[in-house]
Amino acid sequence: MDNAAEKKLALTHFWVAFGAFGLAAVMGLYQVIERSGFFGFLESREVYYASVSTHGVLMGFVLTTFFIMGFGYYVANTTLRLPVWNKTFAWTGFGVALTGVVLAALPLLLGQASVLFTFYPPLMAHPIFYIGATLLVVGSWFWCVSMIVMYMQWKKANPGQPVPLAMFATTANAILWLWTSAGVAVEVLFQLIPWALGWIDTIDAGLARTLFAWTLHPIVYFWLIPTYTAFYTLVPKQAGGFVFSDEMARAAFILLVVFSLPIGFHHLYMDPEQAHGWKILHAVGTFVVTLPTFITGFTVIASLEIAGRLNGGKGLFGWIAALPWNNPMVLAIILGLLMLIFGGFGGLVNASYAMNAMVHNTAWISGHFHLIFGGTTIIMYFGIAYYFWPILAGKPLFCPSMAIAQLWSWFIGMVIMTTPWHILGLLGQPRRIDSVNYNNLLTISWEPYEVTMIFGGLILVVSAGMLIYNLYKTHLGSESYQGEVEYAEPIHAVKDLPGYLNSFTLWNIVIGVFMLIAFGYPILQFFLMETFGSGRWGV
Amino acid sequence: MHIDKLEKNWAGISLGIAGLFVTVILGSAFFHGIHAPSNVETIDSAKLHLSAEFAEDKLGVERNPNGSVTVRMVAGRYGFYPKDLTLPAETAITFRWVSLDVIHGVHMPMSNMSTMIVPGYVAQVSTVLHHAGDYPLLCNEYCGMGHAHMWSNIKVVSKAQWDALNTQGGANHG
């Protein structure tokens, strides 16, 4: 299959993603040092909040979106054995998204958009920031269209056949992202941009928060689905085994898409503008969405066990030792699952309607987010990068042992950074403070944890450097490498799939109904009651 | 379609775990009165100084006829006003919070007094403080460059002590 054009497309997206990652990692180290207060000459709240805002946008929006797009294009191309549909269209999407990033970066780096990546109106950023963010999302919609078109092309050519699992998951993600981004798109287009440009005078912060909550939960599943796709369809092959169940994987992806959408109010548990009943409804949905993760944990670990036993592992746990720990993708999943266990436990605390009050907006939340996103999700992005780079660049990985050391150091750094962060939250430290100024004895108990976090940050930034260096040297290498992505086969071949496991039509209707129930009245109420908007506030 | 028996069992167990969590949470929400602040009550944040409830002279502690206490507070960059409060332990306290500018959040470490304060809305939290001591009130939502400087003090004293202070007058006059 001649897919040089697809390789270039995917690799270009990946370089933007990991370029943003490298820059944001350095900012992360600056932040953890600045906030500790031990280095007076570094202290500047203006620089700190500009850095926090940029770090969040680069990690949360740029790394993820570009990685997901590049990964999706290549998965579609290699699983369906179809050329990427309308490459001009795909490159246009890339161009729109990149233009958005550059536009948003200008006010961010100049300190004109220090409103954090969650916007927080009535704090107002420079209008260019909102316009840039919008273009990034619009660019990603081009990708969604490409994925759905290719999925339809394949289904038309192969009626009744099961869509290859990796593409099924990628299409699920494209559909998820279209639903997900609608909330923030409405907020930005009808509230933030007209308000920042002076066309309207006030903004209803309660409505803005409700619309952002529409997006805020499923967006993390948009980031997570490539990781789960690798868990199911790439890792078992790399480990030397098979997927335990293709059908359960499909069910898990469908559950993720359907139930990650109508549950965003767990970000508003502590908010005054939504009533108890809606919050409880979303709380119940939040626990339903743990099901696909429970299922994934089981199926993926069962797949690894099959691999371990095929490799000669014996006994109850012997198969774990028999896994190829020196394969970056296998190591990434082992470390990723370990972080998922701890991060998932923290998530259950956050999701609990009452316990959340103890940790809400404290340092615990930042720690949780870094562990589950920076840890579980991103470490698998690294695993995918190490596997895809030689294939896309046509050159062997510069240094495989450095890749292994990098994954271990990322894991260790993340544990050293996020454990104290969680403890600081339990000790009452608010999140996102640039310095400690409270005249209270409680703050003395925070100091050892602030120090420990710096070591975590140092290890993480060295690890990030090792990743970028390895990928860069691979790209520049002189040897040639010929290889193609190999997908894991299920133990039991998939045949006669029921339509609901091979199509999204039914599920889109279900999502539409769920969203109407979960968000219909909570949004409508702002138009039924007398509300008072807020003017524009600087930072 | 092939679904392994082990997987069916595991799906059942997972459903059971999630169901257990949901039951505990619903139980605590409905039967123990544990509620997040959710009163959906609007107010014009630009005109607090003219409002019947949140004008400067109305802020602070009010004793209710039934022995409970209502505390009215304004959050604004960068502080919670009034800045110093003395409150009784083991007493039903209802906090009513409003913002005069942007979004804030407030919590009292080691207690479950926590809420977002969104401009345009009144946030109401009911709680009982069990332990006497000096507590800070900390802003926990990014609100601008002075976010880390946004805090104030609460002193919790025993109910008897608090009653004595209030009959003399002076503990909470602001």
Side-chain angles (χ1 to χ4, degrees):
Chain A
M1 184 167 61
D2 176 28
N3 59 356
E6 279 77 6
K7 285 179 171 160
K8 190 176 168 204
L9 182 67
L11 194 57
T12 312
H13 280 83
F14 279 1
W15 266 123
V16 174
F18 285 102
F21 164 77
L23 188 61
V26 175
M27 292 177 161
L29 176 62
Y30 159 75
Q31 289 155 214
V32 76
I33 294 174
E34 200 274 357
R35 70 195 289 281
S36 73
F38 297 115
F39 301 88
F41 64 96
L42 276 176
E43 290 203 16
S44 158
R45 55 195 194 180
E46 286 79 11
V47 177
Y48 179 82
Y49 287 117
S51 181
V52 172
S53 299
T54 312
H55 174 86
V57 168
L58 289 178
M59 290 294 199
F61 298 153
V62 182
L63 162 64
T64 50
T65 308
F66 280 89
F67 181 86
I68 291 164
M69 293 200 290
F71 181 68
Y73 283 127
Y74 205 65
V75 164
N77 171 239
T78 49
T79 54
L80 305 180
R81 303 189 174 278
L82 286 173
V84 165
W85 172 74
N86 196 339
K87 291 189 188 66
T88 314
F89 183 81
W91 280 108
T92 307
F94 172 82
V96 170
L98 189 61
T99 306
V101 172
V102 173
L103 285 181
L106 296 172
L108 275 172
L109 294 173
L110 293 172
Q112 301 293 309
S114 297
V115 297
L116 306 190
F117 74 119
T118 35
F119 302 161
Y120 292 135
L123 291 179
M124 194 182 81
H126 193 284
I128 293 289
F129 171 66
Y130 303 123
I131 293 168
T134 306
L135 289 178
L136 172 58
V137 174
V138 171
S140 70
W141 288 343
F142 281 70
W143 171 81
C144 294
V145 171
S146 287
M147 291 303 100
I148 293 167
V149 167
M150 291 180 72
Y151 161 88
M152 304 287 276
Q153 283 178 333
W154 191 90
K155 282 197 81 158
K156 204 170 168 188
N158 302 273
Q161 293 297 307
V163 179
L165 180 58
M167 187 58 195
F168 185 79
T170 301
T171 312
N173 208 17
I175 291 169
L176 173 69
W177 181 235
L178 287 173
W179 279 103
T180 300
S181 52
V184 74
V186 170
E187 181 195 354
V188 172
L189 293 178
F190 294 98
Q191 288 194 290
L192 294 176
I193 291 180
W195 173 70
L197 290 174
W199 301 341
I200 55 174
D201 288 327
T202 60
I203 193 164
D204 186 336
L207 174 60
R209 287 178 70 75
T210 302
L211 291 170
F212 202 84
W214 170 306
T215 299
L216 197 51
H217 195 66
I219 197 174
V220 304
Y221 287 90
F222 171 60
W223 302 335
L224 184 66
I225 283 183
T227 290
Y228 276 14
T229 308
F231 280 12
Y232 280 112
T233 69
L234 298 172
V235 170
K237 182 80 185 174
Q238 294 299 305
F242 299 90
V243 185
F244 185 64
S245 171
D246 183 285
E247 289 89 343
M248 283 306 264
R250 281 168 210 266
F253 283 115
I254 288 169
L255 283 172
L256 280 176
V257 173
V258 171
F259 282 99
S260 66
L261 275 157
I263 62 173
F265 279 14
H266 61 236
H267 294 275
L268 303 182
Y269 281 167
M270 290 291 132
D271 271 46
E273 76 276 3
Q274 294 295 347
H276 293 305
W278 298 110
K279 293 178 182 176
I280 289 176
L281 182 72
H282 286 238
V284 173
T286 303
F287 282 93
V288 176
V289 88
T290 61
L291 288 178
T293 291
F294 276 126
I295 290 172
T296 300
F298 183 86
T299 307
V300 166
I301 293 171
S303 306
L304 287 174
E305 182 178 348
I306 293 167
R309 296 203 185 283
L310 286 173
N311 296 344
K314 303 242 182 310
L316 196 53
F317 296 111
W319 60 270
I320 298 176
L323 290 170
W325 287 65
N326 57 357
N327 178 308
M329 199 170 267
V330 175
L331 182 60
I333 196 174
I334 293 169
L335 301 177
L337 286 173
L338 280 173
M339 291 187 277
L340 182 65
I341 292 168
F342 294 108
F345 169 76
L348 289 174
V349 172
N350 306 341
S352 299
Y353 197 54
M355 264 196 287
N356 173 62
M358 304 301 292
V359 296
H360 175 77
N361 273 8
T362 64
W364 166 286
I365 301 300
S366 316
H368 166 73
F369 184 61
H370 279 76
L371 184 58
I372 207 109
F373 172 68
T376 303
T377 305
I378 296 302
I379 206 165
M380 205 64 218
Y381 284 21
F382 299 159
I384 295 169
Y386 287 127
Y387 182 47
F388 273 46
W389 231 269
I391 295 165
L392 299 178
K395 291 161 187 177
L397 189 62
F398 170 67
C399 185
S401 58
M402 190 194 285
I404 295 302
Q406 189 267 326
L407 292 169
W408 274 111
S409 58
W410 189 260
F411 170 72
I412 293 165
M414 206 43 97
V415 171
I416 294 178
M417 188 174 69
T418 57
T419 309
W421 223 343
H422 279 86
I423 297 170
L424 282 169
L426 295 177
L427 291 172
Q429 186 179 90
R431 64 175 176 178
R432 296 160 171 175
I433 51 171
D434 65 294
S435 51
V436 175
N437 309 289
Y438 315 123
N439 183 19
N440 192 287
L441 291 174
L442 180 66
T443 61
I444 295 169
S445 67
W446 296 351
E447 286 178 4
Y449 302 104
E450 296 267 0
V451 178
T452 316
M453 284 178 67
I454 295 178
F455 290 101
L458 278 169
I459 296 170
L460 287 169
V461 92
V462 169
S463 179
M466 285 160 72
L467 171 87
I468 305 285
Y469 179 74
N470 210 350
L471 299 179
Y472 179 68
K473 292 294 274 186
T474 303
H475 198 100
L476 293 185
S478 50
E479 287 174 60
S480 119
Y481 171 85
Q482 297 297 323
E484 196 46 274
V485 176
E486 294 179 65
Y487 294 93
E489 297 290 330
I491 271 195
H492 302 279
V494 194
K495 41 192 181 210
D496 53 278
L497 267 183
Y500 62 83
L501 285 184
N502 201 32
S503 155
F504 295 98
T505 317
L506 168 68
W507 301 115
N508 275 311
I509 298 167
V510 172
I511 292 169
V513 173
F514 278 7
M515 290 308 269
L516 194 65
I517 295 170
F519 281 91
Y521 182 78
I523 290 175
L524 189 65
Q525 67 161 0
F526 293 100
F527 301 93
L528 299 178
M529 62 187 178
E530 189 190 13
T531 56
F532 303 93
S534 300
R536 302 177 187 84
W537 295 86
V539 294
Chain B
M1 193 165 71
H2 173 90
I3 303 282
D4 196 275
K5 188 165 170 292
L6 279 173
E7 274 190 317
K8 278 184 193 154
N9 293 348
W10 175 248
I13 292 169
S14 308
L15 206 59
I17 295 172
L20 179 70
F21 283 131
V22 167
T23 311
V24 170
I25 286 165
L26 291 183
S28 67
F30 289 122
F31 301 112
H32 295 257
I34 294 172
H35 279 308
S38 324
N39 47 315
V40 198
E41 183 184 335
T42 63
I43 190 164
D44 189 347
S45 279
K47 293 183 183 153
L48 293 178
H49 56 297
L50 303 174
S51 74
E53 192 181 354
F54 290 98
E56 285 91 332
D57 59 328
K58 308 289 195 308
L59 300 181
V61 181
E62 185 189 345
R63 304 174 80 174
N64 301 318
N66 65 0
S68 68
V69 167
T70 302
V71 183
R72 294 187 177 81
M73 300 285 285
V74 168
R77 299 195 295 189
Y78 291 102
F80 302 103
Y81 307 100
K83 290 279 278 182
D84 292 284
L85 285 176
T86 305
L87 295 176
E90 303 299 345
T91 305
I93 301 178
T94 298
F95 286 88
R96 285 173 62 77
W97 295 92
V98 287
S99 165
L100 60 80
D101 43 38
V102 299
I103 295 171
H104 301 281
V106 62
H107 72 281
M108 220 176 128
M110 313 297 151
S111 82
N112 62 1
M113 206 308 292
S114 174
T115 183
M116 298 299 298
I117 309 168
V118 180
Y121 299 86
V122 180
Q124 181 170 308
V125 192
S126 297
T127 190
V128 174
L129 302 169
H130 296 290
H131 303 286
D134 290 322
Y135 293 85
L137 281 172
L138 305 175
C139 181
N140 63 30
E141 192 62 284
Y142 173 68
C143 54
M145 288 299 147
H147 169 49
H149 292 266
M150 186 160 171
W151 60 292
S152 63
N153 303 300
I154 285 192
K155 189 182 189 68
V156 178
V157 298
S158 72
K159 198 163 165 45
Q161 236 179 325
W162 191 78
D163 283 334
L165 280 169
N166 275 277
T167 43
Q168 293 158 12
N172 294 298
H173 49 71

